Amino acid sequence: MGRGGRSVLLVALLCVSATACSLASGEPSPAPGGGLTERGPAVETDAAATAPDAAPSVAPAPLAAPPAPAAVPTPMFRSAVGSITPELADRMTPSSWRAGCPVPLEDLRYVTVSHVTFDGTVATGELVVHADVADGVVGVFATLFAERYPVRSMRLVDDFGGDDTDSMDADNTSAFNCRAITGGTEWSEHAYGRAIDLNPVENPYVLGRHVAPDAGRGYADRPDLPGVIHAGDVVVEAFAAAGWQWGGSWDSPVDYQHFSVSGR
């Protein structure tokens, strides 16, 4: 066999099938249906990169709710009733009590009560009253506290040297004071511990054109403002329930600050 024949035989042996020849020659191989399948270069894929994101194995904890604001405690009314101690007797003598007063110290009681102030806070006030009205006075101020009626100041008149004018000028609520009635010589009901003057500036004493204290002139026509007492309001009704009468119902003078058991 010549050189050309040997070459043909070699090709024939190598190209046993069309598929083999296509592979050997780099030609496209026939597709199953008779067409050609284009072969491109192999591409490596990363399964982890092409797969969807996997769900976390543990779900994140929900956000904690913000803490509830702390509840503001409701102010409580507090009161106390006690005898006149030696220390208190020294404080009262001789400014509001002295020998010759119509009531001995042993018949008086020292009363402390909670009250609402004009700025809405709570304070402790003090009064000296007769023993037989002490519990009733506590009941009155418990009602006024519940109704949020404001009291400017509640200190013993002894803090003003027993001077009723100075106490009124300070808008101070007071009770016992061994003194005569205004403009007279008879004992005032305050000298018995059975009278209380409440918020004197907002509730002045009025006799004609005379107004006391002087700072109360703007309240003589009874504006509807905090601390001002009106007929039939919670203040008048609370004292009436305890058996006290209001000087604001007098014809002349009219004493809007004054409450007493006897009505004088």
Side-chain angles (χ1 to χ4, degrees):
M1 184 176 294
R3 182 176 300 175
R6 288 196 298 271
S7 299
V8 171
L9 177 61
L10 180 59
V11 171
L13 290 173
L14 292 173
C15 298
V16 176
S17 67
T19 302
C21 290
S22 297
L23 291 172
S25 63
E27 295 293 330
S29 61
L36 296 178
T37 300
E38 190 73 24
R39 293 182 179 274
V43 178
E44 292 187 4
T45 59
D46 186 349
T50 59
D53 292 340
S57 58
V58 179
L63 295 176
V72 178
T74 301
M76 294 183 62
F77 176 81
R78 301 183 186 279
S79 65
V81 177
S83 301
I84 306 301
T85 63
E87 294 78 14
L88 183 55
D90 288 343
R91 180 182 172 192
M92 296 171 59
T93 307
S95 54
S96 68
W97 187 90
R98 65 202 69 86
C101 289
V103 176
L105 288 173
E106 55 265 30
D107 287 352
L108 299 174
R109 295 292 180 269
Y110 178 67
V111 176
T112 59
V113 292
S114 301
H115 69 85
V116 178
T117 67
F118 274 76
D119 61 9
T121 60
V122 174
T124 299
E126 57 178 355
L127 298 167
V128 169
V129 298
H130 198 284
D132 60 11
V133 300
D135 290 339
V137 167
V138 169
V140 168
F141 283 97
T143 298
L144 300 189
F145 183 86
E147 295 292 335
R148 307 290 294 177
Y149 174 80
V151 177
R152 183 82 60 188
S153 166
M154 192 186 298
R155 298 155 55 193
L156 300 190
V157 73
D158 305 280
D159 289 354
F160 304 89
D163 190 312
D164 186 56
T165 298
D166 288 348
S167 180
M168 286 194 299
D169 287 342
D171 204 11
N172 183 59
T173 295
S174 64
F176 176 78
N177 191 5
C178 185
R179 63 173 179 83
I181 60 173
T182 301
T185 58
E186 297 179 8
W187 288 119
S188 164
E189 289 300 289
H190 289 279
Y192 298 92
R194 296 192 180 102
I196 293 175
D197 289 342
L198 183 59
N199 286 339
V201 170
E202 289 77 14
N203 304 289
Y205 173 95
V206 180
L207 178 60
R209 299 181 63 181
H210 173 70
V211 177
D214 188 64
R217 289 186 177 278
Y219 297 91
D221 59 355
R222 318 312 295 139
D224 189 12
L225 294 173
V228 176
I229 302 169
H230 297 279
D233 71 5
V234 63
V235 181
V236 175
E237 292 300 317
F239 274 101
W244 293 56
Q245 300 180 51
W246 182 40
S249 62
W250 299 350
D251 292 330
S252 183
V254 183
D255 199 351
Y256 294 111
Q257 65 196 263
H258 184 79
F259 289 90
S260 66
V261 175
S262 66
R264 297 189 291 111

